[in-house]
Amino acid sequence: MNTSALKKSIVALLSVFIMQQNSNAQEHRYDPPWNPSPESAVNFTIPGIDNVPDLYGDIVDPQLVVFFAGNQFMCIPELITAFKKQHPEYERIFVETLPPGILAKQIEGGSITIGNLRITHKPDVYAAGTNRIQGMKEHLNKIDTYAFNKLTIMVPAGNPSKVTGIKDLAKPTLRVAMPNPAWEGVGNQIVSVYNKIGGKQLEKQIMETKVEDGTTYLTKIHHRESPMRILYQQADAAPVWHSEVVFQKLLKHPVDEVAIPNADNVKAKYQIASLKNAPRAKAAADFLGFMQTKEAREIYKKYGFETP
């Protein structure tokens, strides 16, 4: 092989290698964690395999443990930073932002396993939608309200499927990412909108017929999965909380929103309480007090929530 041919071969091989690397990067270009990660000596977050975005902070010997309903994950870094500034005595805080139904099971069962990691921390504070909070009242102390939210429809940028409203989710060819009502409180809220707009027939079409044929996908963890299915072109529409779209747009991810009229929408109320058996009761009380401050409410407003 002459020098010219050898150079061409090397260039071709390098081109293939670069294309493969770009392709691999593209596969994970929208993967979480979407929040800034806590500082550490080593950051070993690997897209697609070693990535635990809904466990936040210090898991070893925490001075405060908070369970937040997952769709508030975008607020957590700023909330914890602001709380630590007001209460510098709390250096190690551990937060979970899993679906509220999963967190409720964890509270009642005492543990959760994710991959090879088993967590047995008892939370000091639990925050979720009012229905879930009311269902857990036997475990909770005084309950406070701190934020509100509304539903919307997330679609890919430009809305290529021309979704105009909730009724379009029943179209046989439209791929829907739908939160599973079994553990996502938002799922039941969305189903109530289906009934308000189109009765049981609309609910059955979206939640039974389309689930059976695969055009409605029931998510495992909607506050991460629904946006990802939109971003990776696996879904044409996803009913979500308004805050989800606000956050994805702040990240400059290619999503758009189809608003649900107020007359057909629901308004979720988020409540927070300390656990009756909170291992760190003083820290729990301090955090509940912080959640009623103007600073905490401004953080929620930034991400599309309403506050009292």
Side-chain angles (χ1 to χ4, degrees):
M1 181 181 294
N2 60 39
T3 302
S4 177
L6 179 61
K7 287 182 178 179
K8 288 181 180 179
S9 297
I10 292 171
V11 169
L13 287 170
L14 284 172
S15 297
V16 170
F17 176 77
I18 291 169
M19 288 175 64
Q20 287 176 338
Q21 295 304 305
N22 288 339
S23 176
N24 291 338
Q26 289 292 306
E27 289 176 9
H28 298 288
R29 64 193 183 279
Y30 299 122
D31 280 18
W34 296 314
N35 298 115
S37 298
E39 291 185 9
S40 183
V42 179
N43 189 331
F44 193 67
T45 303
I46 309 299
I49 183 165
D50 280 311
N51 178 13
V52 190
D54 286 298
L55 305 181
Y56 183 90
D58 293 283
I59 198 168
V60 177
D61 190 25
Q63 297 164 293
L64 172 67
V65 175
V66 185
F67 286 4
F68 272 102
N71 66 302
Q72 300 163 73
F73 72 91
M74 68 284 290
C75 302
I76 300 307
E78 290 174 58
L79 281 177
I80 298 306
T81 298
F83 175 68
K84 284 182 174 181
K85 285 182 179 178
Q86 290 190 16
H87 293 275
E89 65 270 30
Y90 301 116
E91 298 178 357
R92 300 180 306 280
I93 299 174
F94 176 62
V95 180
E96 294 186 16
T97 55
L98 295 164
I102 300 299
L103 294 175
K105 290 180 180 179
Q106 184 179 352
I107 290 171
E108 293 175 333
S111 63
I112 190 170
T113 296
I114 301 175
N116 298 317
L117 177 67
R118 183 169 182 262
I119 301 168
T120 57
H121 286 316
K122 292 181 179 179
D124 303 299
V125 175
Y126 180 52
T130 186
N131 289 338
R132 185 66 67 178
I133 288 287
Q134 293 304 311
M136 295 290 289
K137 280 183 72 172
E138 65 183 276
H139 299 284
L140 306 175
N141 284 317
K142 179 177 176 292
I143 298 169
D144 294 322
T145 298
Y146 63 94
F148 305 94
N149 214 341
K150 62 182 178 181
L151 294 172
T152 193
I153 304 171
M154 183 185 292
V155 295
N159 192 10
S161 295
K162 307 302 180 189
V163 176
T164 60
I166 285 291
K167 286 187 177 180
D168 287 346
L169 305 188
K171 292 180 178 179
T173 59
L174 192 82
R175 299 169 301 167
V176 178
M178 171 68 198
N180 194 328
W183 45 73
E184 287 283 6
V186 65
N188 290 311
Q189 302 272 29
I190 295 166
V191 168
S192 74
V193 172
Y194 295 160
N195 277 278
K196 186 186 295 188
I197 293 174
K200 285 293 182 182
Q201 183 178 354
L202 184 62
E203 177 190 347
K204 183 177 180 180
Q205 173 67 10
I206 298 170
M207 298 300 296
E208 295 181 28
T209 303
K210 285 171 63 74
V211 168
E212 289 175 3
D213 68 25
T215 54
T216 290
Y217 172 84
L218 296 179
T219 67
K220 307 295 189 298
I221 181 165
H222 98 94
H223 60 276
R224 303 285 187 184
E225 203 170 359
S226 292
M228 288 181 72
R229 292 188 74 83
I230 292 291
L231 291 167
Y232 288 118
Q233 301 178 8
Q234 297 169 331
D236 306 305
V240 296
W241 293 120
H242 172 66
S243 53
E244 303 279 354
V245 178
V246 171
F247 180 61
Q248 292 299 320
K249 287 189 171 184
L250 285 172
L251 294 177
K252 301 190 184 305
H253 286 170
V255 303
D256 276 326
E257 177 178 19
V258 177
I260 300 172
N262 288 335
D264 298 325
N265 215 322
V266 298
K267 188 172 186 177
K269 179 166 66 173
Y270 295 99
Q271 296 185 306
I272 191 166
S274 59
L275 275 290
K276 287 181 178 178
N277 61 348
R280 297 151 288 260
K282 174 65 165 59
D286 287 340
F287 190 75
L288 263 61
F290 165 75
M291 287 294 288
Q292 297 301 318
T293 65
K294 180 181 179 181
E295 188 169 7
R297 290 177 178 178
E298 289 301 316
I299 292 169
Y300 274 86
K301 288 178 182 178
K302 173 181 176 179
Y303 294 107
F305 295 83
E306 299 175 29
T307 60

